Structure formats: C-alpha cells, structure tokens
Amino acid sequence: MKKGEKLYEGKAKIIYATDDPNLVIQYFKDEATAFDGKKKGIIENKGVVNNRISEALFNMLTENGVHTHMVERLNDREMLVKKLNIIMVEMIGRNIAAGSLAKRIGLEEGTVLPRPIVETYYKSDALGDPMLCDEHIFMMELATPAQLETMRETTRKVNRLLTDFFAARKLRLVDFKVEYGVHNGEVLLGDEICPDTCRLWDMDTDEKMDKDRFRRDLGKIEETYAEVARRVCGEI
Ligand code: ADP
Ligand code: UDP
C-alpha cells in the first residue's frame, strides 16, 4: 500500500490518499482542540493511543455485525480505511446527562437518562456544530431518510455494544459521537472512537477518563489516555 498525497487535514487527524482509489489512510495526531477549536493543545502520544483504541473498538463492533470503514491498523499512528463520502451529520449517543445536554436542558451532570437517546448535529466548524432535527437534515439533503434511519439504528446498537464492552473494563459510557459515510452505496461507520469522542467515567471512582480532562484542565491527561488504552487493549 503506497501512501499518496494529503487529502485533508483536520483538528485531530490527516487523511492521505493511497494507490487504491477506494482506500485512504487516517493519520492520528497528538493535537487536541476543544470549544470549537478555541482551546488548543498537545496530548503527548494521543495519536498512538487513539489509533489503538479505535482499532480495538472497530474490531469488536465488526465482530458484532456493525459495518465499519476499518481495513487494518498499519502502524502506531496510521489506519487504513475505506474511503467514505462523509455524511455531514454527527450522531451523538447519550446514556447519562453531561456536556451540552446538561447545559441545554438544565439537567445535573450525572443524571442517568430514563433511556438512551441519539441526537443529530450538523458537522460544521464554521457554525459551531448546531443541533439538527430530521426536517433540517432532509431540507439540506445531508442524508436520505433511509440513511438517517440506518445511522440512528446503528448508533443505538453501537451504544449497546460499547456500553457493555466498557463496563467489562470498569468504564461507564456517558456519551459519544460517531460519524458515518457512504462507500459503494453502503453506509459505513467511519472516523474514530476513542477518549476524544466518548465520555468515560471510572465505575468505582467516577473519575473522568476522557477529553474532559483537557477541556476542563483536570490534569493527568496523558496518564488517563494511557490507562484507557491499557483497559481496552492491554499493554501497548
Ligand atoms: P475534523 O474534520 O472535525 O477536524 P479530524 O481531524 O478527525 O476531524 O479529521 C478527520 C476527517 O476525516 C473528518 O472530517 C472525518 O469526517 C473524515 N473521515 C473519517 N473517516 C473517513 C473516511 N473513511 N474517508 C474519508 N474521510 C473520513
Ligand atoms: N463530541 C465529539 N465531537 C464533537 C462534539 C461532541 O467527539 O464535535 C463528543 C464529546 O466528546 C462527548 C459527546 O460527543 O463525548 C457529547 O458532546 P456534547 O454535545 O456534550 O458537547 P461538549 O459539551 O462535549 O462540547
């Protein structure tokens, strides 16, 4: 597999072309951002850790029938994936109130939701990722009704699978963001799943084990990412 030109550089990853037009390489960076890019920093080794954690989670989801873009992890910081036409709707699954949900509707952070929910947001840095309802999604032709249904149902399934997987590792899955894209007409789970994109709380201590340590200046950031990797992947 030959690495080609840089196609896109985002806040946390770089996408490179390959000699196969169906495949691209995701390169995981150490850069971290929060609050729509207003807060910037480096989390040492984050790229390596997030690549490993994403690989383990995509493997687990694949074993359970979820169709993902992952082909294989190539090395410490690179993952070979099927090239997607990204659907510009971020799907957020939630089990416990935190972050923007707690703020928007005045729920105390930590309130267990009566049942898991899935929300939809416009993937637009310029607009600050506003929340969308189905009518907005169809009006803007971001996804078809069938695609949205697939994304919603898959996100519910991913939530069930991740919740159990993390619980077996003493981590409570509070909420998470996933992205999807279209490859040869099929909707696949894309991007990454890692402590940047999930809220994870230690089951014994309620300690935050995710990017909130960076967002909220809680310290022990690198150590926490390494600990999540240890619980998810074993020693790396
Ligand atoms: P952002 O664009 O939000 O700054 P990243 O730094 O993570 O995010 O950049 C990775 C980009 O690659 C994202 O925009 C994501 O939607 C996109 N992406 C994820 N998986 C694929 C894929 N398989 N094919 C093409 N693009 C992808
Ligand atoms: N999230 C993400 N990328 C985004 C927005 C949210 O990965 O652009 C994740 C975030 O890490 C959390 C979940 O989605 O696990 C819910 O985020 P929320 O809406 O509460 O926003 P926040 O307050 O974290 O900005």
Side-chain angles (χ1 to χ4, degrees), residues 1-67:
M1 182 55 52
K2 257 180 64 191
K3 189 161 152 186
E5 57 168 332
K6 189 196 278 193
L7 297 177
Y8 174 83
E9 178 154 5
K11 298 185 291 296
K13 298 191 291 305
I14 304 171
I15 303 288
Y16 291 98
T18 69
D19 49 8
D20 182 337
N22 281 309
L23 301 175
V24 293
I25 290 170
Q26 289 201 120
Y27 176 95
F28 289 73
K29 306 194 287 185
D30 285 349
E31 271 99 333
T33 62
F35 313 120
D36 296 324
K38 287 193 266 299
K39 180 176 174 130
K40 289 193 175 73
I42 298 280
I43 301 177
E44 216 66 58
N45 221 34
K46 173 171 85 81
V48 176
V49 161
N50 284 354
N51 192 16
R52 292 283 185 138
I53 294 174
S54 289
E55 176 195 29
L57 297 177
F58 281 135
N59 276 335
M60 181 278 292
L61 293 171
T62 302
E63 282 162 20
N64 286 282
V66 176
H67 296 184

Side-chain angles (χ1 to χ4, degrees), residues 8 10-13 15 69 81-82 84 86 123 179 191:
Y8 174 83
K11 298 185 291 296
K13 298 191 291 305
I15 303 288
H69 69 157
V81 297
K82 294 176 183 165
L84 298 179
I86 292 289
K123 185 172 156 58
E179 295 182 20
D191 208 51

Side-chain angles (χ1 to χ4, degrees), residues 1 7 23 25 38 52 60 63 66 69 75 90-91 98 101 116 125 134 146 149 162 172 181 185 193 210 216-217 225:
M1 182 55 52
L7 297 177
L23 301 175
I25 290 170
K38 287 193 266 299
R52 292 283 185 138
M60 181 278 292
E63 282 162 20
V66 176
H69 69 157
N75 53 47
E90 296 187 349
M91 306 296 293
L101 177 70
D125 283 342
D134 292 14
E149 169 80 6
L162 287 180
R172 205 183 308 281
I193 310 179
D210 54 60
R216 303 180 189 187
D217 294 320
Y225 274 68

Side-chain angles (χ1 to χ4, degrees), residues 64-76:
N64 286 282
V66 176
H67 296 184
T68 87
H69 69 157
M70 189 174 75
V71 177
E72 60 175 339
R73 186 173 59 79
L74 295 172
N75 53 47
D76 265 0

